[in-house]
Amino acid sequence: MAVLNLRSLADGRILRGSQPFGMDAAETAAFLATHGIQTVVDLRSGYERAIAPWQLANSSASNGTVELVENPLDPRTASAGLSSIHTAEDLGELYLGWVRTRPDWVAEALRPAAQGKRTLIHCSLGKDRTGVVSAVALIANGTDRDAVVADYAASTAALPFMLETMAATWRLAIPDVPEQAFSPSLMLLQSPAAAMEYFLDGFAREFGNAADYLRDAGLNGAELDGLRR
């Protein structure tokens, strides 16, 4: 199959997308070569990676083997409770919780791109964890607010097919996974513009700007310049 929900950011230095759905080693190599990807930053937890692992054997970019950076954030343990997400504002607050408690995670997700490597950043659906990291990258790049919100909300069109595909993938590994776990009616599985607007307002209020946030999180001046170019 493919990496879904795929699009580029920061003048093409960053690609954002979903996990690899049903790709064997040959399909993986072709995908990475087609897009010139040098580094894959995988934001999924260990149990998610086990269900749909990368098949990176023999994959290479123009300057050598593709690097896989495992930089996990498990939503089940990184929030007070996913079951409490009922509104777009709840979803935006979930995202703020991640950047408050794990600035190191955000910085490490962006470090390869900041160092000039063409980087694919992804989680499972490429919506939440990827959306947060992408938003910070876009703010650091000087992208205007409306464009940041539009990039996040663009996942909406891809979600019906992705949720169907995700459900089938998970049921192969966990046959008793409940049907409602992948219901598009769940706010946790939506990408409303209001959630990103809430996140951006909170981020600006709490951290000021993305450059200061990422500097405090561990990126150096050259790396910050790399994100801004």
Side-chain angles (χ1 to χ4, degrees), residues 16-193:
R16 60 170 293 179
S18 74
Q19 69 183 24
F21 285 106
M23 294 167 62
D24 61 20
E27 290 168 327
T28 298
F31 166 78
L32 296 171
T34 296
H35 294 283
I37 294 167
Q38 297 168 293
T39 303
V40 173
V41 176
D42 190 337
L43 304 177
R44 297 175 298 168
S45 61
Y47 79 92
E48 293 172 286
R49 292 196 303 272
I51 292 171
W54 276 100
Q55 305 290 336
L56 285 178
N58 301 319
S59 295
S60 62
S62 59
N63 65 342
T65 302
V66 175
E67 175 188 24
L68 175 61
V69 176
E70 294 179 350
N71 184 30
L73 185 143
D74 188 338
R76 302 174 305 174
T77 59
S79 64
L82 298 180
S83 61
S84 64
I85 308 299
H86 302 298
T87 68
E89 290 73 22
D90 292 339
L91 195 54
E93 186 60 38
L94 175 71
Y95 300 160
L96 283 172
W98 294 345
V99 298
R100 286 187 196 111
T101 59
R102 292 294 309 278
D104 60 310
W105 170 78
V106 180
E108 290 307 309
L110 293 176
R111 192 179 301 278
Q115 294 176 344
K117 300 171 184 174
R118 185 163 167 80
T119 303
L120 169 66
I121 300 174
H122 78 94
C123 50
S124 54
L125 295 172
K127 177 182 83 72
D128 300 304
R129 289 163 289 186
T130 303
V132 168
V133 170
S134 297
V136 175
L138 287 171
I139 301 168
N141 187 245
T143 304
D144 69 76
R145 175 191 173 91
D146 288 347
V148 177
V149 173
D151 176 69
Y152 170 81
S155 292
T156 297
L159 281 170
F161 180 68
M162 283 203 298
L163 290 173
E164 180 181 329
T165 306
M166 178 76 79
T169 301
W170 274 64
R171 288 192 188 102
L172 286 175
I174 310 172
D176 60 349
V177 64
E179 185 78 26
Q180 63 269 27
F182 300 99
S183 171
S185 66
L186 294 173
M187 178 54 65
L188 188 62
L189 298 179
Q190 298 176 29
S191 55

Side-chain angles (χ1 to χ4, degrees), residues 204-218:
R205 184 171 58 250
E206 295 185 35
F207 305 109
N209 61 71
D212 288 345
Y213 173 83
L214 290 170
R215 184 180 295 107
D216 291 343

